[in-house]
Amino acid sequence: MVFAGLAPALADTMEAALVRAYRNNPQLNAQRALARSTDENVPQALSAYRPKVALTASVGYQYADTLSTKGSTATEAVRSDVHGTDPPRSAGLTVTQTLFNGNQTANKTRVAESQVSGAREALRVMEETVLLSAATIYMDFLRDAAIVEVQRSNTLVLEQTLKQTRDRFDVGTVTRTDVAQAEAQLAAGKSQQLTAEANLVTTRANFRRIIGNEPSNLAPGSPVDRFLPKSLPTAVELSLIENPNVTAAMFGIDVNYLQVKINEGALLPTLSLVTSAQEAYEQTLTTPKAFTASTVAQVSAPIYQGGAEYSLIRQSKENLAQQRLNVEMVRDQTRANTVTAWGQLVAGKAEVASAESQVAASELALTGVRREATVGQRTTLDVLNAQQALVNARVALVTAQHDRVVASYSVLSTVGRLSPQVLNLATATYDPSVHYQQVRDNWYGVRTPDGR
């Protein structure tokens, strides 16, 4: 299901950008289609409970020429001479109902239902991935745009500094070395500006790819701390319960366990009921019409099939053991991701405060160095170094603010709660159970629920 897009103006906020990504991201919509495809495994499994009906018909042409004699002596012999053509025709109906097959149908249905649940968790993984990518690229653009402005402002200041230095050189208060230092710093500043602009172009393209529109007049992003657990132990506990990677792996255990039961069911007998009826015309020249009907119970018990069935059972048990180990691996990875994201969040808060202090101190230092330079107590290089320190501090502050917001979204993702419902996004949420209920009990039909 592909949602209609929003008006471009709504993408000016983080929330609207997330809505766009949630509705229109092609990777997420492809995952939704995959979940709908997985839903069809259930009616396919349920079909084994239902009867199978086959209609047969035949028509043809035949010629017969027979001569038969009955009796023990020539005088008692009775001759029968039949010859001619006739068009034989027949129509038949066969109904087969499986009554027992070693519980394979029941277990295959449970497997299909577990696969559906696993597909829904995989969809949750993709939703969280897309929303986190959208939040990250939103903050990336704000960061890179701010850095471009910082570098452009720095270039203007350096140009003014170079002009002032040349004027002072003309009156003999500074040397040629001071002019060269100002020129070198300006060239470096322009290079930094070009690099920042190139990074912004790349970020703009990724913004369009993930969110679906060109960024314009973006509002500042804010962290989502209000939705986060209060402590790291609580976050780890929630991640081991609610993270969709963990829950998807748990459903994988169910699938592999039931696959063992399916393979074991192949060793049990199969009981089926076959009912058939046939109407035939002119099958022979002497039989113008014939009708037959029968109901037969059939039992098939496997004795030995070459050993493949036993190998499948052993193989499925190994797959089950592997999946159980995989769950532990996913849990360990989820725990590590949660701790890492939480650490980045804590560090991000401290980095923002530190960067703000650094900017304030750098601005004060630059002002003082400039005043001291005017009275000859500081050199041109001192002014240029102070200017570069201020630029670095402003870039560090922008980066720290970016990392602070992204880290909050990362923690929310690792605990399994990065969703439109938790974020209170103004959009209708995609419910995979709707399609499942639409197709689960379908006995026939080739059209999808949306009319394709």
Side-chain angles (χ1 to χ4, degrees):
M1 180 182 296
V2 180
F3 296 93
L6 296 177
L10 292 180
D12 291 343
T13 65
M14 171 75 83
E15 291 74 15
L18 294 179
V19 168
R20 273 188 173 271
Y22 180 76
R23 290 184 170 187
N24 302 327
N25 185 274
Q27 189 178 13
L28 181 53
N29 282 324
Q31 190 69 34
R32 288 168 178 154
L34 179 60
R36 294 194 296 270
S37 174
T38 305
D39 290 343
E40 295 291 351
N41 290 345
V42 176
Q44 290 170 20
L46 289 173
S47 66
Y49 282 122
R50 301 165 187 160
K52 294 176 175 58
V53 182
L55 179 64
T56 60
S58 65
V59 63
Y61 170 85
Q62 68 179 2
Y63 170 80
D65 191 352
T66 63
L67 177 62
S68 60
T69 303
K70 295 181 180 180
S72 58
T73 63
T75 57
E76 296 177 353
V78 178
R79 299 174 61 86
S80 175
D81 187 6
V82 179
H83 63 88
T85 62
D86 61 336
R89 308 177 302 280
S90 67
L93 183 69
T94 302
V95 179
T96 304
Q97 176 65 61
T98 300
L99 302 179
F100 179 77
N101 62 353
N103 292 322
Q104 292 186 70
T105 299
N107 289 323
K108 287 181 180 179
T109 302
R110 296 188 186 100
V111 165
E113 291 171 343
S114 295
Q115 289 172 339
V116 168
S117 298
R120 292 180 184 178
E121 296 307 300
L123 178 57
R124 282 185 59 212
V125 172
M126 184 57 66
E127 287 178 350
E128 291 198 345
T129 300
V130 169
L131 290 176
L132 179 58
S133 297
T136 301
I137 197 63
Y138 187 97
M139 294 306 301
D140 286 352
F141 187 85
L142 289 176
R143 177 199 61 195
D144 293 347
I147 290 176
V148 167
E149 292 303 317
V150 169
Q151 297 296 349
R152 287 175 179 173
S153 176
N154 179 52
T155 300
L156 294 176
V157 172
L158 291 175
E159 288 174 346
Q160 185 65 27
T161 301
L162 176 60
K163 181 178 181 301
Q164 294 172 354
T165 303
R166 284 173 175 170
D167 292 341
R168 294 172 64 190
F169 174 74
D170 291 339
V171 298
T173 58
V174 297
T175 66
R176 178 60 188 166
T177 301
D178 296 299
V179 176
Q181 289 172 338
E183 290 174 342
Q185 194 71 11
L186 176 59
K190 288 182 177 179
S191 176
Q192 292 171 351
Q193 177 184 334
L194 292 174
T195 299
E197 290 173 346
N199 291 337
L200 183 61
V201 170
T202 301
T203 304
R204 182 185 296 274
N206 288 328
F207 190 102
R208 175 69 177 81
R209 174 179 61 85
I210 296 172
I211 296 180
N213 70 294
E214 294 291 336
S216 176
N217 301 322
L218 302 187
S222 58
V224 288
D225 293 356
R226 61 191 182 279
F227 302 125
L228 300 181
K230 300 301 182 183
S231 64
L232 176 57
T234 303
V236 171
E237 182 180 359
L238 284 175
S239 68
L240 297 179
I241 297 174
E242 298 186 15
N243 187 287
N245 288 297
V246 175
T247 52
M250 293 295 294
F251 284 117
I253 289 181
D254 295 339
V255 170
N256 283 274
Y257 173 78
L258 291 168
Q259 190 61 51
V260 174
K261 297 301 180 182
I262 292 172
N263 292 333
E264 289 176 344
L267 301 178
L268 299 177
T270 299
L271 173 63
S272 59
L273 189 67
V274 180
T275 299
S276 61
Q278 184 181 50
E279 182 89 359
Y281 298 90
E282 300 186 60
Q283 296 299 302
T284 67
L285 292 177
T286 59
T287 309
K289 178 181 178 182
F291 175 80
T292 59
S294 65
T295 297
V296 179
Q298 296 179 346
V299 178
S300 174
I303 302 301
Y304 184 71
Q305 308 295 320
E309 65 275 25
Y310 302 105
S311 176
L312 286 173
I313 294 172
R314 297 192 301 270
Q315 183 183 54
S316 58
K317 288 181 178 179
E318 294 295 345
N319 291 337
L320 175 59
Q322 179 194 21
Q323 183 61 28
R324 285 173 173 163
L325 294 172
N326 183 59
V327 169
E328 294 305 314
M329 181 182 67
V330 172
R331 283 175 173 166
D332 290 341
Q333 185 63 56
T334 300
R335 183 185 293 107
N337 291 342
T338 303
V339 173
T340 300
W342 189 272
Q344 291 172 343
L345 177 61
V346 173
K349 294 177 181 179
E351 288 173 359
V352 169
S354 176
E356 289 174 345
S357 299
Q358 183 182 0
V359 169
S362 297
E363 289 175 344
L364 183 61
L366 177 60
T367 301
V369 169
R370 282 174 174 170
R371 289 176 180 175
E372 293 170 358
T374 58
V375 296
Q377 296 180 342
R378 293 282 185 173
T379 65
T380 300
L381 181 60
D382 294 329
V383 175
L384 294 174
N385 289 339
Q387 172 64 26
Q388 187 60 46
L390 177 58
V391 170
N392 293 341
R394 287 174 174 170
V395 170
L397 176 58
V398 170
T399 302
Q401 291 170 337
H402 161 277
D403 295 344
R404 164 78 173 85
V405 175
V406 172
S408 68
Y409 278 90
S410 296
V411 172
L412 194 62
S413 176
T414 58
V415 300
R417 292 187 173 182
L418 183 56
S419 64
Q421 297 90 333
V422 173
L423 296 176
N424 296 320
L425 299 182
T427 182
T429 57
Y430 180 83
D431 185 0
S433 65
V434 173
H435 178 270
Y436 174 77
Q437 295 299 333
Q438 289 173 333
V439 302
R440 185 184 190 279
D441 295 315
N442 280 0
W443 283 51
Y444 59 90
V446 297
R447 288 190 176 275
T448 59
D450 59 4
R452 286 173 291 149

